[in-house]
Amino acid sequence: MEERDREMPRAELIAKLSAVPGAAPVEERRDGLWMLAPQLDVEAMAREMVAIGCRLVTMTGLAQKNGETTIIYHYVRGHEVINFKTVTRNGAIPSLAPMLRPASWIEREIHDFFAVNFVGHPNLVPLLRPASLKDGFFRDPEPGSTVPEKQ
Amino acid sequence: MPYTIPIGPYHPALEEAYKVNVRCVAETVQQVSVDVGFSFRAIELLAQRREWVPDVTLIERVCGICSNVHAMTFCRAAERIAGIEVPARAQYIRTIISELERLHSHLLWAGLAAEYMGFQTLFMEIYTLREQVMDLLETISGNRVNYGMNRIGGVNRDIADLNSVIATVQAMAAPIENDVVPAFMNNATARGRMSGVGPLTKEQAIEWGVVGPVARASGVATDVRVDHPYLAYQELGFKIVTRQEGDVRARVVVRALELLESIRIVAEALRNMPSGPLRAFEGMPDIPPGEAVALTEAPRGEVIYYVASDGGKTPARVKIRTPSFVNIPALEAMTIGQQLGDISLIQASVDPCLSCTDR
């Protein structure tokens, strides 16, 4: 049986998540496991999640007023939903795209919306952003009432 | 001499805009890249400027095919933040609408697959069946798309004539089982056109993180209805349909067999529909500060919503991850080494939704 198909007791899963460099205590919520870890080593986290057979389903960006961006990494493993919440440092965070194909488009999208620099992304070009808008237009409180067509 | 063909952004058959750049040597595809974003509407941003109730209407417009799933998943995330328990009858109605939506989505896609193969008779047969589902949805909700069934805390409408809906969906089972499924599984034209085309191995499916029928056709037994049971799926039971071949035919067969499972679920839900209220409360919802993730199985696969509230009148953040957003990039893996003439069939086999992808 492959590692990803093995039923893993929640306690064992939490222990593995807690061992990632920069980890914080894991919260057990109704919608899954959550870790709020500003100092999380996201590359080490991604390697560990691959090793235990977790699938990166998406990432969420949330603008902070100080110019940084909260990044949430959402994973699924069997019946478990695992969420790591961390934050950019000087507007940047390491890219997971070199090791995880599904990370590529979502990092490009977050770059479009919040101008996050995903360091090491092999192709950080716009994915959805119309050419007439600047990176990070989700941060602007009034970015315009209409979105022009992509050129 | 290698050459590049830009396919799109406007397609003769696909009504949505996206671009596939195909680099070939002779007729063999060597490299593929996909451009999206031509229908970008910034729905996530707009949702953060509207109040919770109008947001349900806005978010139902993410997709014209799986509109119900989007409105429902948004409501489920908001309900989770507020600790709202949706009444049992509303859970069953949401389940029934979700499966009717899957039926019409899969039938629409199967019909298009038949048309792309040049199998016009099958196309007509499938679209006749699809019209019956559309009529049912119109009878229940008043609309053929954007049904407006969901509200935070429950549903807006009841299903009045349960027996008539049961009779209609059950009557569809025979033509699907006897005509549609065998046509895709056994017909020599269909087999010849689809077998071995656009392969995606199980390892590649995991590597690219594909979801829904695309993943299940490559042997990945994943389905939110089983992995993270919601609504009435746990009570009604559900069987995951998988195939091991990972080609276009496997994607067609998985969807065709899922039609029968959806019919069974709809009939079972209607027979066991509990009585009781349709909504947890009347009036406007009060969503306290908090955040929640909600997963749902749309016709094309896993949908995930992250919703955050700061206790205000509008959501603080609405993040939408649609299945097409993760399935479309895997076209690269499916098309390299394939014939240029098969590209349109391969991309159709993913059932790409650009309205969902671009949002």
Side-chain angles (χ1 to χ4, degrees), chain B residues 107 122-133 135 172:
Chain B
L107 285 168
L122 185 59
F123 165 76
M124 294 301 290
E125 167 94 23
I126 291 170
Y127 263 53
T128 302
L129 290 167
R130 180 174 182 263
E131 270 313 298
Q132 294 174 23
V133 185
D135 287 347
M172 293 174 60

Side-chain angles (χ1 to χ4, degrees), chain B residues 109 184 194-197 213-214 216-219 241-257:
Chain B
W109 184 86
F184 284 123
M194 299 186 297
S195 292
V197 175
V214 176
R216 294 192 283 276
S218 292
V241 178
T242 59
R243 302 290 289 189
Q244 301 302 318
E245 301 88 340
D247 54 7
V248 170
R249 182 166 165 265
R251 285 170 216 133
V252 173
V253 170
V254 163
R255 290 188 181 95
L257 294 174

Side-chain angles (χ1 to χ4, degrees), chain A:
Chain A
M1 181 186 290
E2 293 177 35
E3 175 67 8
R4 71 172 51 249
D5 298 328
R6 180 175 71 86
E7 278 290 331
M8 184 180 289
R10 185 171 255 199
E12 182 184 345
L13 179 59
I14 290 174
K16 286 181 181 291
L17 305 182
S18 302
V20 173
V26 176
E27 293 177 31
E28 296 183 65
R29 299 186 192 168
R30 196 175 165 197
D31 60 349
L33 302 176
W34 284 80
M35 182 189 290
L36 281 54
Q39 299 303 317
L40 185 71
D41 180 338
V42 296
E43 290 171 299
M45 175 273 293
R47 281 192 294 274
E48 178 61 23
M49 297 305 271
V50 169
I52 61 175
C54 294
R55 173 170 57 90
L56 177 69
V57 291
T58 195
M59 295 157 55
T60 299
L62 298 96
Q64 291 190 359
K65 286 180 180 168
N66 63 4
E68 298 293 352
T69 305
T70 297
I71 305 286
I72 309 175
Y73 297 87
H74 305 277
Y75 281 90
V76 163
R77 186 188 192 283
H79 304 296
E80 296 281 9
V81 178
I82 305 151
N83 308 280
F84 295 93
K85 200 179 213 182
T86 190
V87 68
T88 56
R89 294 121 211 184
N90 297 319
I93 198 161
S95 170
L96 303 186
M99 72 174 99
L100 287 175
R101 286 192 188 273
S104 180
W105 271 29
I106 185 59
E107 288 185 350
R108 286 170 63 190
E109 180 182 294
I110 293 174
H111 177 70
D112 287 350
F113 292 174
F114 298 100
V116 172
N117 179 21
F118 287 94
V119 179
H121 192 293
N123 185 32
L124 200 57
V125 297
L127 181 76
L128 300 176
R129 175 175 64 78
S132 55
L133 296 181
K134 293 179 180 174
D135 290 334
F137 62 95
F138 267 37
R139 291 180 172 283
D140 190 335
E142 294 297 333
S145 57
T146 59
V147 176
E149 291 180 7
K150 185 175 180 178
Q151 300 298 309

Side-chain angles (χ1 to χ4, degrees), chain B residues 148-168:
Chain B
M149 290 295 286
N150 288 280
R151 59 185 286 152
I152 296 173
V155 293
N156 287 315
R157 296 180 193 85
D158 205 350
I159 299 176
D161 187 355
L162 302 181
N163 290 331
S164 139
V165 181
I166 292 174
T168 306

Side-chain angles (χ1 to χ4, degrees), chain B residues 18-256:
Chain B
Y18 82 124
K19 189 175 176 185
V20 184
N21 299 295
V22 186
R23 188 168 172 79
C24 299
V25 171
E27 291 293 310
T28 305
V29 177
Q30 290 210 319
Q31 196 178 354
V32 168
S33 66
V34 181
D35 290 339
V36 295
F38 298 95
S39 316
F40 178 64
R41 291 165 289 159
I43 284 181
E44 292 181 12
L45 189 61
L46 294 173
Q48 289 152 214
R49 295 175 174 182
R50 282 167 166 75
E51 296 185 8
W52 291 92
V53 171
D55 263 351
V56 179
T57 306
L58 169 71
I59 286 168
E60 191 155 26
R61 270 76 183 163
V62 166
C63 180
I65 302 295
C66 54
S67 56
N68 175 73
V69 153
H70 288 285
M72 185 184 72
T73 313
F74 172 73
C75 288
R76 288 184 59 228
E79 288 154 3
R80 203 164 251 181
I81 294 171
I84 297 167
E85 291 297 333
V86 175
R89 189 173 181 88
Q91 300 273 24
Y92 269 69
I93 291 172
R94 284 182 177 181
T95 307
I96 291 161
I97 301 297
S98 297
E99 291 307 313
L100 288 175
E101 186 172 71
R102 190 179 322 280
L103 271 175
H104 96 70
S105 176
H106 279 12
L107 285 168
L108 181 145
W109 184 86
L112 291 177
E115 189 187 49
Y116 291 144
M117 286 189 299
F119 204 155
Q120 287 295 323
T121 317
L122 185 59
F123 165 76
M124 294 301 290
E125 167 94 23
I126 291 170
Y127 263 53
T128 302
L129 290 167
R130 180 174 182 263
E131 270 313 298
Q132 294 174 23
V133 185
M134 302 306 286
D135 287 347
L136 265 184
L137 284 163
E138 188 175 4
T139 303
I140 293 169
S141 73
N143 296 305
R144 283 169 63 88
V145 291
N146 297 330
Y147 318 110
M149 290 295 286
N150 288 280
R151 59 185 286 152
I152 296 173
V155 293
N156 287 315
R157 296 180 193 85
D158 205 350
I159 299 176
D161 187 355
L162 302 181
N163 290 331
S164 139
V165 181
I166 292 174
T168 306
V169 291
Q170 285 193 322
M172 293 174 60
I176 290 173
E177 197 161 12
N178 300 330
D179 301 333
V180 177
V181 174
F184 284 123
M185 293 185 78
N186 306 326
N187 181 278
T189 305
R191 291 176 72 100
R193 187 70 189 87
M194 299 186 297
S195 292
V197 175
L200 187 75
T201 65
K202 183 177 181 180
E203 292 70 29
Q204 287 174 314
I206 292 167
E207 178 187 353
W208 286 85
V210 295
V211 295
V214 176
R216 294 192 283 276
S218 292
V220 181
T222 179
D223 191 308
V224 180
R225 290 172 288 180
V226 172
D227 298 336
H228 310 274
Y230 59 101
L231 300 182
Y233 288 110
Q234 202 153 24
E235 294 161 40
L236 297 169
F238 176 71
K239 188 175 70 183
I240 294 184
V241 178
T242 59
R243 302 290 289 189
Q244 301 302 318
E245 301 88 340
D247 54 7
V248 170
R249 182 166 165 265
R251 285 170 216 133
V252 173
V253 170
V254 163
R255 290 188 181 95

